[in-house]
Amino acid sequence: MTERGYQTDIRRKCEALGVWRNEFDRTLKRLAKIYTRIDTVEELFIKNGSQFLVAHKNNKGETNPIRNPYIAELDLLYEQALTYEKELGLTAAALKKINETALH
């Protein structure tokens, strides 16, 4: 999906939950960027063999298995996405915690 498509999708979800405010627009745009980065990294991970461990040569020339850098990047992006989803009230716990009177 495109970044613009994610923006539309996120906003629709927020509106459906009754939590959308125009002040959230910047957060929505950042979350859409994160989603598109996730798509890109997932595609690269698949394109490069979907291996969770990859061979790495150290300074001594020895080859050792290490965690695939794509997995590390995905974990970071997933964590960032969850943070922004919480900010927008898109998780069950965050939605429950939103105080509507504070948003007016």
XYZ file of all heavy atoms in Angstrom:
853
model
N 0.847 -1.167 0.000
C 0.000 0.000 0.000
C 0.902 1.242 0.000
O 1.992 1.216 0.552
C -0.912 -0.018 1.230
C -1.932 1.102 1.238
S -3.058 1.137 2.662
C -3.814 -0.460 2.635
N 0.393 2.310 -0.544
C 1.155 3.551 -0.573
C 1.019 4.278 0.762
O 0.109 3.987 1.554
C 0.645 4.495 -1.680
O -0.692 4.897 -1.354
C 0.686 3.831 -3.042
N 1.898 5.241 0.972
C 1.834 6.040 2.194
C 0.483 6.754 2.287
O -0.131 6.803 3.350
C 2.985 7.051 2.189
C 3.186 7.743 3.491
C 4.429 8.610 3.492
O 5.482 8.167 2.985
O 4.342 9.728 3.999
N 0.041 7.289 1.175
C -1.255 7.985 1.130
C -2.392 7.014 1.452
O -3.344 7.357 2.168
C -1.447 8.617 -0.252
C -2.645 9.498 -0.341
C -2.376 10.720 0.477
N -3.292 11.777 0.068
C -3.617 12.761 0.856
N -3.110 12.850 2.042
N -4.432 13.673 0.443
N -2.291 5.807 0.931
C -3.295 4.791 1.220
C -3.347 4.447 2.696
O -4.432 4.290 3.276
N -2.178 4.331 3.308
C -2.134 4.077 4.752
C -2.737 5.235 5.525
O -3.446 5.032 6.510
C -0.701 3.818 5.224
C -0.244 2.396 5.012
C 0.883 2.123 4.251
C -0.920 1.324 5.574
C 1.322 0.817 4.058
C -0.497 0.011 5.385
C 0.628 -0.230 4.627
O 1.049 -1.517 4.440
N -2.463 6.460 5.105
C -3.025 7.629 5.793
C -4.548 7.565 5.785
O -5.190 7.775 6.820
C -2.545 8.919 5.135
C -1.098 9.242 5.388
C -0.637 10.494 4.649
O -1.434 11.272 4.136
N 0.666 10.689 4.603
N -5.105 7.253 4.628
C -6.561 7.149 4.500
C -7.100 6.031 5.386
O -8.092 6.214 6.099
C -6.946 6.896 3.028
O -6.443 7.973 2.231
C -8.441 6.780 2.855
N -6.431 4.888 5.365
C -6.862 3.736 6.148
C -6.802 4.026 7.654
O -7.752 3.721 8.389
C -5.984 2.528 5.803
C -6.451 1.263 6.475
O -7.639 0.903 6.314
O -5.628 0.618 7.160
N -5.720 4.620 8.100
C -5.559 4.932 9.530
C -6.634 5.918 9.972
O -7.260 5.749 11.022
C -4.149 5.492 9.816
C -3.085 4.427 9.543
C -4.057 6.001 11.244
C -1.675 4.991 9.425
N -6.841 6.949 9.165
C -7.842 7.964 9.525
C -9.231 7.336 9.602
O -10.004 7.619 10.525
C -7.821 9.113 8.540
C -8.767 10.222 8.958
C -8.612 11.446 8.121
N -9.602 12.417 8.535
C -9.394 13.704 8.543
N -8.245 14.190 8.149
N -10.335 14.529 8.934
N -9.563 6.481 8.649
C -10.882 5.807 8.671
C -11.046 4.985 9.942
O -12.121 4.964 10.547
C -11.039 4.916 7.448
C -11.384 5.674 6.202
C -11.669 4.733 5.052
N -11.833 5.495 3.828
C -11.489 5.073 2.632
N -10.982 3.870 2.470
N -11.660 5.828 1.575
N -9.980 4.290 10.340
C -10.061 3.486 11.566
C -10.271 4.376 12.781
O -11.081 4.052 13.657
C -8.793 2.643 11.729
C -8.718 1.495 10.749
C -7.421 0.730 10.872
C -7.380 -0.380 9.822
N -6.106 -1.089 9.818
N -9.541 5.481 12.848
C -9.699 6.414 13.968
C -11.112 6.989 14.003
O -11.726 7.087 15.078
C -8.683 7.547 13.872
S -6.982 7.083 14.222
N -11.620 7.356 12.843
C -12.973 7.905 12.763
C -14.010 6.868 13.184
O -14.967 7.190 13.899
C -13.256 8.430 11.358
C -12.497 9.704 11.034
C -12.593 10.133 9.576
O -13.008 9.304 8.719
O -12.247 11.292 9.291
N -13.816 5.630 12.761
C -14.754 4.565 13.120
C -14.782 4.329 14.635
O -15.826 3.993 15.194
C -14.389 3.272 12.397
N -13.640 4.534 15.270
C -13.566 4.368 16.728
C -13.992 5.632 17.469
O -14.090 5.633 18.695
C -12.136 3.995 17.139
C -11.674 2.609 16.703
C -10.181 2.449 16.933
C -12.457 1.529 17.438
N -14.185 6.708 16.740
C -14.595 7.971 17.353
C -13.469 8.695 18.066
O -13.722 9.497 18.966
N -12.221 8.430 17.674
C -11.086 9.065 18.355
C -10.347 10.065 17.468
O -9.381 10.674 17.918
C -10.075 8.011 18.887
C -10.742 7.144 19.945
C -9.503 7.168 17.762
N -10.787 10.250 16.225
C -10.039 11.128 15.322
C -10.200 12.590 15.717
O -11.283 13.078 16.021
C -10.478 10.962 13.870
C -9.762 11.944 12.998
C -10.266 13.062 12.432
C -8.372 11.928 12.670
N -9.293 13.740 11.753
C -8.105 13.066 11.889
C -7.323 11.067 12.965
C -6.845 13.353 11.378
C -6.076 11.357 12.456
C -5.859 12.483 11.679
N -9.058 13.282 15.728
C -8.990 14.739 15.903
C -7.987 15.249 14.888
O -6.972 14.602 14.613
C -8.525 15.129 17.310
C -9.362 14.588 18.460
C -10.765 15.201 18.445
N -11.566 14.739 19.556
C -12.342 13.674 19.543
N -12.404 12.908 18.475
N -13.067 13.340 20.589
N -8.234 16.419 14.327
C -7.314 16.978 13.332
C -5.910 17.166 13.893
O -4.936 17.129 13.147
C -7.853 18.307 12.789
C -9.052 18.100 11.894
O -9.200 17.066 11.263
N -9.935 19.086 11.853
N -5.789 17.320 15.189
C -4.485 17.465 15.832
C -3.636 16.204 15.681
O -2.425 16.240 15.879
C -4.639 17.793 17.331
C -5.314 19.099 17.619
C -6.846 19.048 17.595
O -7.421 17.958 17.403
O -7.465 20.108 17.755
N -4.250 15.096 15.342
C -3.542 13.832 15.193
C -2.921 13.657 13.813
O -2.252 12.661 13.545
C -4.478 12.645 15.438
C -5.053 12.566 16.825
C -6.123 11.726 17.076
C -4.543 13.307 17.873
C -6.659 11.627 18.345
C -5.077 13.222 19.144
C -6.143 12.379 19.383
N -3.128 14.609 12.919
C -2.702 14.466 11.527
C -1.211 14.157 11.398
O -0.814 13.304 10.621
C -3.051 15.730 10.744
C -2.929 15.514 9.256
O -3.549 14.563 8.744
O -2.202 16.293 8.606
N -0.384 14.840 12.160
C 1.069 14.618 12.085
C 1.445 13.208 12.545
O 2.294 12.549 11.944
C 1.777 15.663 12.933
C 3.108 16.005 12.449
C 3.619 17.223 13.149
N 5.058 17.164 13.031
C 5.868 18.081 13.434
N 5.420 19.149 14.008
N 7.152 17.928 13.294
N 0.815 12.761 13.586
C 1.053 11.403 14.091
C 0.606 10.376 13.056
O 1.312 9.388 12.807
C 0.304 11.194 15.422
O 0.726 12.204 16.344
C 0.579 9.837 16.011
N -0.539 10.614 12.432
C -1.044 9.729 11.393
C -0.042 9.627 10.247
O 0.239 8.533 9.762
C -2.381 10.280 10.883
C -2.991 9.606 9.673
C -4.501 9.586 9.805
C -2.614 10.322 8.405
N 0.524 10.749 9.821
C 1.488 10.743 8.716
C 2.744 9.967 9.080
O 3.298 9.235 8.251
C 1.831 12.171 8.306
C 0.691 12.842 7.581
C 1.024 14.281 7.215
C -0.172 14.919 6.512
N 0.050 16.323 6.209
N 3.205 10.116 10.310
C 4.391 9.358 10.748
C 4.105 7.860 10.770
O 4.940 7.054 10.355
C 4.839 9.830 12.128
C 5.501 11.176 12.091
C 6.001 11.562 13.456
N 6.570 12.900 13.407
C 6.595 13.730 14.435
N 6.108 13.339 15.603
N 7.122 14.917 14.313
N 2.931 7.489 11.249
C 2.572 6.069 11.287
C 2.479 5.507 9.874
O 2.947 4.394 9.616
C 1.259 5.870 12.044
C 0.769 4.431 12.180
C 1.821 3.535 12.838
C -0.541 4.399 12.970
N 1.927 6.266 8.954
C 1.841 5.810 7.555
C 3.238 5.595 6.976
O 3.472 4.624 6.253
C 1.063 6.823 6.721
N 4.192 6.474 7.300
C 5.580 6.302 6.842
C 6.174 5.023 7.408
O 6.871 4.289 6.716
C 6.437 7.494 7.249
C 6.258 8.725 6.416
C 7.210 9.819 6.896
C 6.935 11.123 6.201
N 7.418 11.168 4.839
N 5.909 4.770 8.671
C 6.422 3.558 9.309
C 5.847 2.324 8.625
O 6.570 1.366 8.343
C 6.119 3.560 10.825
C 6.942 4.650 11.516
C 6.404 2.195 11.441
C 6.527 4.927 12.956
N 4.546 2.333 8.341
C 3.925 1.194 7.661
C 4.555 0.945 6.293
O 4.794 -0.205 5.915
C 2.423 1.413 7.497
C 1.588 1.216 8.743
C 0.297 1.717 8.801
C 2.063 0.540 9.853
C -0.498 1.546 9.922
C 1.282 0.367 10.978
C -0.005 0.874 11.004
O -0.788 0.690 12.110
N 4.838 2.001 5.552
C 5.456 1.803 4.233
C 6.881 1.290 4.368
O 7.334 0.480 3.548
C 5.421 3.083 3.369
O 6.046 4.151 4.066
C 4.002 3.456 3.001
N 7.596 1.740 5.407
C 8.944 1.210 5.654
C 8.877 -0.264 6.029
O 9.720 -1.057 5.611
C 9.649 2.004 6.752
C 10.126 3.365 6.250
C 10.918 4.113 7.261
N 12.135 3.394 7.617
C 12.801 3.607 8.744
N 12.397 4.515 9.609
N 13.891 2.924 9.006
N 7.883 -0.642 6.813
C 7.701 -2.051 7.164
C 7.505 -2.871 5.890
O 8.135 -3.914 5.715
C 6.515 -2.242 8.136
C 6.884 -1.714 9.529
C 6.085 -3.710 8.203
C 5.714 -1.633 10.502
N 6.648 -2.390 5.004
C 6.416 -3.099 3.741
C 7.711 -3.283 2.965
O 7.997 -4.366 2.458
C 5.408 -2.342 2.868
C 3.992 -2.392 3.397
O 3.718 -3.220 4.290
O 3.165 -1.592 2.920
N 8.510 -2.224 2.886
C 9.773 -2.269 2.139
C 10.740 -3.278 2.754
O 11.322 -4.100 2.048
C 10.430 -0.878 2.100
O 9.532 0.040 1.461
C 11.748 -0.897 1.367
N 10.902 -3.225 4.059
C 11.847 -4.129 4.727
C 11.354 -5.571 4.640
O 12.155 -6.490 4.427
C 12.102 -3.686 6.183
C 12.986 -4.690 6.919
C 12.747 -2.303 6.223
N 10.054 -5.789 4.779
C 9.521 -7.152 4.640
C 9.779 -7.688 3.229
O 10.151 -8.852 3.072
C 8.026 -7.181 4.960
C 7.739 -7.085 6.435
C 6.261 -7.042 6.771
O 5.432 -6.733 5.875
O 5.925 -7.289 7.932
N 9.596 -6.855 2.220
C 9.870 -7.276 0.843
C 11.343 -7.627 0.662
O 11.675 -8.629 0.019
C 9.479 -6.166 -0.135
C 7.991 -6.000 -0.316
C 7.637 -4.788 -1.166
O 8.508 -4.285 -1.912
O 6.479 -4.331 -1.079
N 12.233 -6.819 1.223
C 13.669 -7.089 1.123
C 14.033 -8.382 1.849
O 14.854 -9.162 1.374
C 14.478 -5.919 1.674
C 14.487 -4.660 0.824
C 15.086 -3.489 1.601
C 15.262 -4.897 -0.465
N 13.431 -8.598 3.006
C 13.672 -9.818 3.767
C 13.289 -11.044 2.938
O 14.057 -12.001 2.823
C 12.886 -9.768 5.080
C 12.973 -11.018 5.904
C 14.163 -11.408 6.498
C 11.854 -11.815 6.090
C 14.234 -12.566 7.265
C 11.910 -12.969 6.851
C 13.110 -13.339 7.437
N 12.119 -10.995 2.326
C 11.656 -12.107 1.488
C 12.542 -12.259 0.257
O 12.962 -13.363 -0.090
C 10.176 -11.908 1.098
C 9.301 -12.044 2.344
C 9.754 -12.891 0.015
C 7.874 -11.557 2.169
N 12.850 -11.147 -0.393
C 13.676 -11.166 -1.607
C 15.059 -11.762 -1.342
O 15.645 -12.411 -2.198
C 13.821 -9.745 -2.144
C 14.610 -9.638 -3.417
C 14.704 -8.182 -3.861
C 15.600 -8.057 -5.079
N 15.733 -6.664 -5.512
N 15.561 -11.545 -0.121
C 16.896 -12.025 0.226
C 16.892 -13.366 0.949
O 17.860 -13.716 1.630
C 17.628 -10.961 1.047
C 18.032 -9.791 0.189
O 18.927 -9.914 -0.638
N 17.363 -8.664 0.357
N 15.814 -14.123 0.813
C 15.810 -15.495 1.289
C 15.088 -15.781 2.588
O 15.030 -16.936 3.017
N 14.576 -14.795 3.252
C 13.799 -14.975 4.488
C 14.539 -15.769 5.556
O 13.938 -16.536 6.300
C 12.459 -15.660 4.181
O 11.711 -14.912 3.261
N 15.831 -15.623 5.621
C 16.636 -16.339 6.615
C 16.698 -15.541 7.921
O 16.998 -14.351 7.908
C 18.054 -16.551 6.087
C 18.117 -17.346 4.802
C 17.629 -18.766 4.995
O 17.941 -19.416 5.972
N 16.846 -19.233 4.046
N 16.430 -16.200 9.037
C 16.499 -15.512 10.323
C 17.943 -15.368 10.800
O 18.277 -14.445 11.522
C 15.648 -16.233 11.367
C 14.188 -16.027 11.123
C 13.477 -16.905 10.325
C 13.524 -14.931 11.649
C 12.129 -16.718 10.067
C 12.182 -14.726 11.396
C 11.475 -15.616 10.600
N 18.786 -16.286 10.358
C 20.215 -16.186 10.652
C 20.961 -16.079 9.327
O 20.609 -16.744 8.353
C 20.706 -17.412 11.416
C 20.163 -17.611 12.824
C 20.662 -18.930 13.397
C 20.552 -16.460 13.731
N 21.980 -15.230 9.295
C 22.799 -15.076 8.095
C 24.267 -15.215 8.492
O 24.638 -15.032 9.653
C 22.555 -13.716 7.394
C 21.141 -13.633 6.847
C 22.835 -12.550 8.324
N 25.092 -15.529 7.518
C 26.529 -15.659 7.771
C 27.163 -14.277 7.824
O 26.850 -13.393 7.035
C 27.169 -16.490 6.678
N 28.068 -14.112 8.785
C 28.774 -12.850 8.950
C 30.262 -13.141 9.150
O 30.627 -13.973 9.978
C 28.237 -12.088 10.162
C 29.043 -10.887 10.523
N 29.048 -9.746 9.772
C 29.892 -10.664 11.558
C 29.862 -8.861 10.333
N 30.385 -9.399 11.415
N 31.084 -12.471 8.365
C 32.535 -12.625 8.535
C 33.037 -11.555 9.491
O 32.812 -10.368 9.284
C 33.258 -12.470 7.192
C 33.469 -13.768 6.501
C 34.449 -13.632 5.369
C 34.512 -14.986 4.697
N 35.342 -15.007 3.552
N 33.727 -11.989 10.534
C 34.274 -11.027 11.480
C 35.653 -10.543 10.999
O 36.124 -10.917 9.925
C 34.335 -11.622 12.892
C 35.266 -12.814 12.991
O 36.127 -13.030 12.147
N 35.084 -13.598 14.047
N 36.306 -9.724 11.798
C 37.610 -9.146 11.424
C 38.702 -10.187 11.229
O 39.664 -9.960 10.503
C 38.063 -8.137 12.481
C 37.147 -6.937 12.541
O 36.396 -6.676 11.605
N 37.183 -6.202 13.646
N 38.553 -11.332 11.866
C 39.548 -12.405 11.750
C 39.289 -13.306 10.543
O 40.027 -14.251 10.315
C 39.552 -13.253 13.023
C 39.963 -12.493 14.259
C 39.897 -13.384 15.476
C 40.230 -12.605 16.726
N 40.134 -13.454 17.923
N 38.207 -13.007 9.810
C 37.873 -13.818 8.652
C 37.025 -15.033 8.969
O 36.738 -15.837 8.093
N 36.632 -15.165 10.228
C 35.782 -16.285 10.622
C 34.335 -15.972 10.285
O 33.900 -14.835 10.419
C 35.906 -16.536 12.133
C 37.313 -16.859 12.582
C 37.464 -16.773 14.092
O 36.696 -16.012 14.736
O 38.346 -17.448 14.618
N 33.633 -16.991 9.864
C 32.216 -16.821 9.536
C 31.371 -17.341 10.692
O 31.544 -18.471 11.145
C 31.870 -17.571 8.240
O 32.711 -17.074 7.185
C 30.425 -17.368 7.853
N 30.470 -16.494 11.143
C 29.578 -16.838 12.247
C 28.143 -16.504 11.871
O 27.904 -15.536 11.138
C 29.942 -16.041 13.507
C 31.339 -16.326 13.980
O 31.685 -17.470 14.211
N 32.145 -15.285 14.109
N 27.191 -17.276 12.395
C 25.791 -16.922 12.146
C 25.382 -15.750 13.041
O 25.753 -15.696 14.222
C 25.025 -18.190 12.518
C 25.906 -18.896 13.490
C 27.314 -18.522 13.128
N 24.671 -14.800 12.458
C 24.131 -13.676 13.236
C 22.666 -13.501 12.858
O 22.206 -14.004 11.835
C 24.892 -12.351 12.987
C 24.754 -11.913 11.522
C 26.342 -12.445 13.418
C 25.128 -10.461 11.285
N 21.966 -12.786 13.677
C 20.565 -12.464 13.403
C 20.492 -11.576 12.164
O 21.250 -10.613 12.033
C 19.999 -11.731 14.612
C 18.548 -11.471 14.545
C 18.101 -10.930 15.895
N 16.710 -10.581 15.843
C 16.206 -9.485 16.353
N 16.980 -8.626 16.972
N 14.933 -9.243 16.267
N 19.584 -11.880 11.274
C 19.425 -11.121 10.043
C 19.109 -9.653 10.369
O 18.190 -9.377 11.136
C 18.293 -11.727 9.206
C 18.218 -11.173 7.814
O 18.457 -9.997 7.590
N 17.848 -12.019 6.871
N 19.864 -8.724 9.811
C 19.605 -7.301 10.072
C 18.191 -6.855 9.678
O 17.649 -5.927 10.278
C 20.647 -6.578 9.222
C 21.731 -7.572 9.016
C 21.056 -8.913 9.001
N 17.592 -7.518 8.703
C 16.216 -7.173 8.335
C 15.254 -7.474 9.486
O 14.306 -6.723 9.718
C 15.768 -7.935 7.078
C 16.473 -7.499 5.822
C 17.182 -8.408 5.051
C 16.429 -6.180 5.391
C 17.824 -8.016 3.889
C 17.073 -5.769 4.234
C 17.770 -6.696 3.486
O 18.410 -6.296 2.335
N 15.499 -8.556 10.209
C 14.654 -8.901 11.358
C 14.800 -7.836 12.443
O 13.812 -7.402 13.045
C 15.011 -10.294 11.911
C 14.729 -11.376 10.869
C 14.262 -10.591 13.206
C 13.279 -11.508 10.485
N 16.025 -7.415 12.690
C 16.260 -6.371 13.694
C 15.543 -5.080 13.308
O 14.919 -4.422 14.153
C 17.758 -6.127 13.854
N 15.608 -4.715 12.042
C 14.935 -3.499 11.568
C 13.421 -3.642 11.682
O 12.735 -2.708 12.109
C 15.337 -3.195 10.121
C 14.686 -1.972 9.541
C 15.125 -0.655 10.148
O 16.113 -0.627 10.899
O 14.468 0.365 9.868
N 12.900 -4.805 11.337
C 11.457 -5.023 11.447
C 10.993 -4.925 12.899
O 9.960 -4.318 13.180
C 11.065 -6.380 10.854
C 11.017 -6.428 9.335
C 10.846 -7.864 8.852
C 9.925 -5.530 8.783
N 11.750 -5.503 13.811
C 11.380 -5.425 15.223
C 11.304 -3.967 15.680
O 10.373 -3.574 16.386
C 12.379 -6.192 16.092
C 12.205 -7.694 15.994
O 11.174 -8.156 15.462
O 13.120 -8.416 16.446
N 12.260 -3.164 15.269
C 12.271 -1.742 15.618
C 11.059 -1.027 15.012
O 10.372 -0.257 15.689
C 13.562 -1.089 15.131
C 13.690 0.412 15.344
C 13.723 0.743 16.828
C 14.938 0.935 14.657
N 10.774 -1.295 13.750
C 9.640 -0.656 13.083
C 8.307 -1.082 13.704
O 7.406 -0.251 13.879
C 9.657 -0.963 11.587
C 10.765 -0.292 10.803
C 10.871 -0.878 9.398
C 10.564 1.213 10.733
N 8.181 -2.361 14.047
C 6.950 -2.837 14.690
C 6.743 -2.129 16.031
O 5.630 -1.747 16.382
C 6.984 -4.350 14.917
C 6.984 -5.194 13.671
C 7.596 -6.440 13.669
C 6.376 -4.783 12.489
C 7.597 -7.238 12.538
C 6.372 -5.582 11.356
C 6.986 -6.815 11.387
O 6.989 -7.613 10.271
N 7.825 -1.968 16.772
C 7.744 -1.278 18.066
C 7.328 0.181 17.879
O 6.485 0.695 18.619
C 9.106 -1.358 18.765
C 9.099 -0.845 20.178
C 10.457 -1.038 20.841
O 11.034 -2.131 20.721
O 10.922 -0.073 21.467
N 7.911 0.846 16.874
C 7.548 2.230 16.597
C 6.090 2.338 16.167
O 5.368 3.240 16.606
C 8.448 2.811 15.509
C 9.866 3.029 15.955
C 10.771 3.447 14.794
O 10.391 3.398 13.630
N 11.981 3.865 15.126
N 5.649 1.416 15.315
C 4.259 1.438 14.856
C 3.307 1.283 16.036
O 2.311 2.011 16.138
C 4.024 0.331 13.831
N 3.624 0.368 16.937
C 2.763 0.155 18.098
C 2.678 1.410 18.955
O 1.603 1.770 19.441
C 3.261 -1.034 18.928
C 2.419 -1.397 20.143
C 0.990 -1.736 19.742
C 3.069 -2.561 20.883
N 3.784 2.105 19.107
C 3.798 3.347 19.880
C 2.835 4.369 19.270
O 2.029 4.981 19.979
C 5.222 3.930 19.941
O 6.068 2.996 20.611
C 5.246 5.257 20.673
N 2.901 4.541 17.959
C 2.019 5.497 17.289
C 0.568 5.021 17.277
O -0.356 5.836 17.399
C 2.507 5.792 15.872
C 3.686 6.724 15.858
C 4.980 6.239 15.778
C 3.504 8.099 15.945
C 6.067 7.105 15.781
C 4.589 8.969 15.948
C 5.866 8.463 15.859
O 6.932 9.316 15.873
N 0.351 3.718 17.152
C -1.003 3.184 17.209
C -1.633 3.476 18.565
O -2.811 3.840 18.651
C -0.994 1.677 16.929
C -0.681 1.335 15.498
C -0.315 -0.114 15.271
O -0.126 -0.875 16.245
O -0.197 -0.485 14.094
N -0.843 3.351 19.616
C -1.334 3.670 20.953
C -1.694 5.148 21.057
O -2.714 5.507 21.649
C -0.290 3.315 22.011
C -0.133 1.840 22.246
C 0.978 1.577 23.258
C 1.229 0.106 23.449
N 2.368 -0.131 24.379
N -0.858 6.002 20.496
C -1.117 7.443 20.535
C -2.432 7.799 19.850
O -3.105 8.737 20.249
C 0.027 8.211 19.877
C 1.307 8.228 20.677
C 1.165 8.975 21.989
O 0.553 10.069 22.008
O 1.665 8.462 23.010
N -2.764 7.061 18.824
C -3.985 7.337 18.069
C -5.200 6.579 18.606
O -6.300 6.704 18.080
C -3.771 6.986 16.591
C -2.786 7.884 15.854
C -2.491 7.330 14.465
C -3.322 9.308 15.754
N -5.011 5.780 19.644
C -6.117 5.029 20.221
C -6.505 3.808 19.417
O -7.650 3.360 19.476
N -5.554 3.261 18.662
C -5.849 2.129 17.783
C -5.570 0.771 18.411
O -5.658 -0.245 17.726
C -5.075 2.275 16.459
C -5.498 3.456 15.604
C -4.584 3.596 14.403
C -6.948 3.327 15.173
N -5.231 0.752 19.683
C -5.113 -0.523 20.397
C -6.224 -0.557 21.448
O -6.717 0.494 21.881
C -3.744 -0.681 21.087
O -3.627 0.303 22.120
C -2.603 -0.550 20.097
N -6.607 -1.737 21.860
C -7.710 -1.862 22.818
C -7.401 -1.127 24.123
O -8.240 -0.378 24.636
C -7.993 -3.334 23.081
N -6.193 -1.316 24.650
C -5.831 -0.681 25.917
C -5.782 0.838 25.782
O -6.256 1.569 26.660
C -4.490 -1.214 26.402
N -5.223 1.322 24.674
C -5.127 2.772 24.478
C -6.503 3.390 24.294
O -6.784 4.465 24.819
C -4.237 3.083 23.284
N -7.364 2.714 23.577
C -8.719 3.221 23.361
C -9.451 3.338 24.699
O -10.138 4.328 24.948
C -9.481 2.298 22.408
C -10.894 2.717 22.044
C -10.895 4.080 21.361
C -11.528 1.672 21.142
N -9.261 2.351 25.547
C -9.914 2.353 26.860
C -9.413 3.513 27.724
O -10.162 4.092 28.493
C -9.652 1.020 27.561
C -10.388 0.852 28.849
C -10.149 -0.518 29.429
C -10.861 -0.668 30.758
N -10.627 -1.982 31.346
N -8.135 3.883 27.569
C -7.534 4.925 28.390
C -7.830 6.343 27.916
O -7.625 7.295 28.646
C -6.019 4.745 28.453
C -5.591 3.554 29.262
C -4.093 3.440 29.294
C -3.659 2.213 30.064
N -2.207 2.071 30.083
N -8.288 6.488 26.671
C -8.524 7.833 26.141
C -9.632 8.516 26.945
O -10.691 7.981 27.148
C -8.889 7.796 24.639
C -7.656 7.435 23.843
C -9.449 9.130 24.182
C -7.888 7.339 22.352
N -9.307 9.703 27.359
C -10.259 10.504 28.108
C -10.872 11.516 27.144
O -10.239 12.500 26.803
C -9.552 11.208 29.272
C -10.471 12.086 30.063
O -11.616 12.340 29.684
N -9.982 12.587 31.190
N -12.075 11.289 26.724
C -12.719 12.149 25.727
C -12.803 13.609 26.175
O -12.657 14.495 25.364
C -14.107 11.618 25.379
C -14.097 10.425 24.475
C -13.516 10.733 23.100
O -13.815 11.796 22.525
O -12.761 9.908 22.598
N -13.025 13.864 27.433
C -13.168 15.255 27.878
C -11.860 16.024 27.732
O -11.865 17.219 27.516
C -13.667 15.325 29.333
O -12.741 14.627 30.164
C -15.039 14.715 29.464
N -10.733 15.335 27.822
C -9.435 15.996 27.674
C -9.137 16.350 26.224
O -8.307 17.194 25.940
C -8.318 15.120 28.235
N -9.829 15.693 25.295
C -9.573 15.925 23.872
C -10.396 17.079 23.311
O -10.196 17.489 22.194
C -9.864 14.649 23.065
C -8.941 13.480 23.371
C -9.419 12.243 22.624
C -7.525 13.805 22.978
N -11.330 17.608 24.044
C -12.172 18.712 23.537
C -11.599 20.046 23.895
O -10.935 20.305 24.780
C -13.596 18.590 24.068
C -14.285 17.369 23.549
N -14.594 17.180 22.221
C -14.717 16.254 24.173
C -15.204 16.025 22.065
N -15.283 15.434 23.232
